[in-house]
């Protein structure tokens, strides 16, 4: 694979990786709230957890990219 | 001049109504283009004769499979190679769908969230089942990285689980959003061209027309890239569940 295609791939990947975790948190929280009738307790908890998971997604990607960089490999 | 609705191209209509056990299984224009893209891929792979020294068609066929199987091998290791044909099929289906959708008067089935989400769920379920079959209960280590102190685990576990569940959503939304955004943009600029051509500044219509030509090149790139990114992430997810840390 040539370099520009990989870089574009990365750019397209990171944005949705963050947003999707927040969406999953939102849906989980909403369902749990509907089940236990505790609106909006779990919605708030899971939104925060979702945002944290989104940061975790990006963080995981970044640490991988940095460690590859230090080993002299090309950017993933 | 009336400007056409740029979202009109994404409308689904029924071609042959069909009901089975109370479920609506109608054959729609989306189904038609799924069948068309599958058939075009099959037709492409039946082209040419099989020879020891490959002709042009055979060369492209072999190279395209080599491209995907190399991607599988380099990101998920030798062990993942049995999944290469499956990933290759996914790649070709999305690739053909994206490119067929670029022709005028066609329909892009990858611009519907439910289609991309189904494809993403296929990947998600496959990788999860593969991980569970291969590692058993040890699979749960995926949600518990070993380099963290035990007291952080209760906080990190739910985060890791949400992060894992977000994978199919991320796959689905990326493909869907890119296709919808690109096609809507093409339609809007085409609408501008006709609006300006109908007004007294008619020569200025060349500007959105040129823009649209540029966008078309860009869309051709995006159509390939999205299929590629989908395939690459499938390999990465397969690697995560096949080779646990």
């Amino acid at each position: 694979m040539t370099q520009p295609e990989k870089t574009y791939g990365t750019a397209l990947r990171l944005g949705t990786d963050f947003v999707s975790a927040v969406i999953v948190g939102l849906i989980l929280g909403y369902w749990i709230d509907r089940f236990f009738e505790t609106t909006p307790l779990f919605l708030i908890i899971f939104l925060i957890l979702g945002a944290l998971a989104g940061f975790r997604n990006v963080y995981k990607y970044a640490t991988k990219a940095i460690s590859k960089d230090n080993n002299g490999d090309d950017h993933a | 001049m009336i400007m056409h609705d740029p979202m009109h191209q994404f409308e689904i209509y029924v071609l042959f109504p069909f009901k089975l056990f109370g479920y609506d299984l109608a054959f729609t224009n989306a189904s038609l283009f799924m069948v068309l893209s599958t058939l075009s891929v099959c037709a492409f792979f039946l082209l040419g004769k099989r020879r020891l020294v490959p002709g042009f068609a055979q060369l492209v066929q072999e190279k395209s499979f080599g491209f995907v199987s190399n991607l599988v091998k380099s990101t998920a290791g030798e062990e993942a190679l049995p999944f290469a044909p499956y990933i290759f099929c996914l790649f070709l289906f999305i690739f053909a769908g994206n490119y067929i959708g670029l022709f005028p008067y066609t329909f892009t089935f990858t611009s519907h969230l439910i289609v991309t989400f189904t494809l993403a769920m296929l990947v998600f379920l496959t990788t999860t089942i593969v991980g569970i079959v291969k590692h058993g209960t040890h699979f749960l280590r995926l949600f518990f990285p070993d380099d963290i102190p035990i007291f952080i685990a209760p906080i990190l576990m739910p985060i890791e689980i949400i992060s894992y569940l977000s994978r199919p959503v991320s796959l689905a939304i990326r493909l869907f959003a890119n296709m919808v955004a690109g096609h809507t943009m093409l339609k809007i600029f085409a609408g501008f061209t006709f609006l300006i051509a109908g007004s007294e500044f008619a020569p200025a219509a060349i500007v959105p027309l040129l823009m649209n030509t540029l966008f078309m090149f860009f869309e051709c790139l995006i159509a390939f890239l999205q299929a590629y990114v989908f395939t690459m992430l499938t390999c990465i997810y397969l690697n995560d569940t096949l080779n646990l840390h």
Side-chain angles (χ1 to χ4, degrees):
Chain A
M1 209 70 236
T2 50
Q3 200 57 53
E5 278 157 353
K6 275 193 171 173
T7 329
Y8 274 125
T10 309
L12 295 172
R13 190 184 153 188
L14 283 181
T16 44
D17 266 6
F18 179 76
V19 176
S20 60
V22 179
I23 293 173
V24 169
L26 182 102
I27 293 170
L28 277 180
Y30 181 74
W31 275 355
I32 294 174
D33 267 344
R34 272 237 304 227
F35 192 73
F36 293 112
E37 290 172 0
T38 50
T39 316
L41 177 66
F42 283 100
L43 188 67
I44 294 168
I45 293 173
F46 273 86
L47 259 182
I48 294 168
L49 281 178
L52 288 174
F55 282 120
R56 175 102 185 128
N57 280 346
V58 178
Y59 175 79
K60 259 193 246 171
Y61 179 81
T63 46
K64 224 183 259 173
I66 288 169
S67 71
K68 263 193 186 165
D69 221 20
N70 291 341
N71 293 334
D73 289 341
D74 56 349
H75 307 258
Chain B
M1 175 146 258
I2 312 151
M3 194 154 155
H4 287 284
D5 177 13
M7 301 311 265
H8 176 75
Q9 54 177 327
F10 303 120
E11 243 164 60
I12 287 183
Y13 48 87
V14 175
L15 296 176
F16 305 108
F18 180 61
K19 272 201 183 206
L20 194 68
F21 306 123
Y23 290 100
D24 190 7
L25 298 176
F27 191 83
T28 61
N29 54 344
S31 340
L32 176 71
F33 279 98
M34 281 181 215
V35 171
L36 266 181
S37 70
T38 313
L39 284 181
S40 61
V41 168
C42 292
F44 172 68
F45 274 85
L46 290 172
L47 270 180
K49 279 192 192 123
R50 298 289 167 274
R51 292 200 205 96
L52 193 60
V53 180
F56 178 72
Q58 197 186 348
L59 191 73
V60 177
Q61 290 156 3
E62 284 174 4
K63 279 284 168 199
S64 55
F65 183 71
F67 166 70
V68 172
S69 72
N70 265 338
L71 189 70
V72 173
K73 200 157 81 176
S74 64
T75 45
E78 292 271 346
E79 259 184 301
L81 272 183
F83 295 98
Y86 172 64
I87 294 171
F88 186 51
C89 287
L90 270 178
F91 172 73
L92 286 176
F93 186 61
I94 298 169
F95 184 80
N98 287 354
Y99 271 101
I100 288 176
L102 280 177
F103 288 100
Y105 298 107
T106 56
F107 177 84
T108 329
F109 59 82
T110 43
S111 66
H112 278 267
L113 189 54
I114 193 64
V115 178
T116 58
F117 191 69
T118 311
L119 290 172
M121 273 323 265
L122 269 178
V123 169
F124 179 74
L125 290 177
T126 318
T127 52
T128 309
I129 290 168
V130 164
I132 290 172
V133 166
K134 187 161 181 253
H135 300 285
T137 50
H138 191 69
F139 177 70
L140 294 174
R141 291 290 289 183
L142 190 69
F143 305 119
F144 189 80
D146 23 36
D147 53 342
I148 55 154
I150 194 80
F151 59 89
I152 301 182
I155 311 168
L156 203 59
M157 282 272 279
I159 293 178
E160 284 288 333
I161 290 171
I162 292 179
S163 164
Y164 187 71
L165 290 177
S166 78
R167 284 170 171 190
V169 180
S170 170
L171 268 181
I173 291 179
R174 184 179 309 106
L175 182 56
F176 147 79
N178 275 287
M179 294 331 281
V180 169
H183 284 256
T184 313
M185 205 160 65
L186 285 177
K187 261 283 160 61
I188 289 174
F189 274 87
F192 283 164
T193 312
F194 280 106
L195 269 180
I196 298 174
S199 70
E200 62 253 57
F201 309 107
I206 193 82
V207 179
L209 188 68
L210 281 178
M211 285 289 272
N212 230 356
T213 319
L214 258 178
F215 281 142
M216 201 64 202
F217 280 118
F218 193 63
E219 276 302 297
C220 289
L221 177 73
I222 290 284
F224 166 72
L225 267 182
Q226 285 308 317
Y228 169 68
V229 168
F230 197 97
T231 329
M232 186 188 70
L233 285 176
T234 308
C235 296
I236 290 176
Y237 296 161
L238 196 60
N239 176 47
D240 284 353
T241 50
L242 260 183
N243 315 310
L244 285 179
H245 42 79

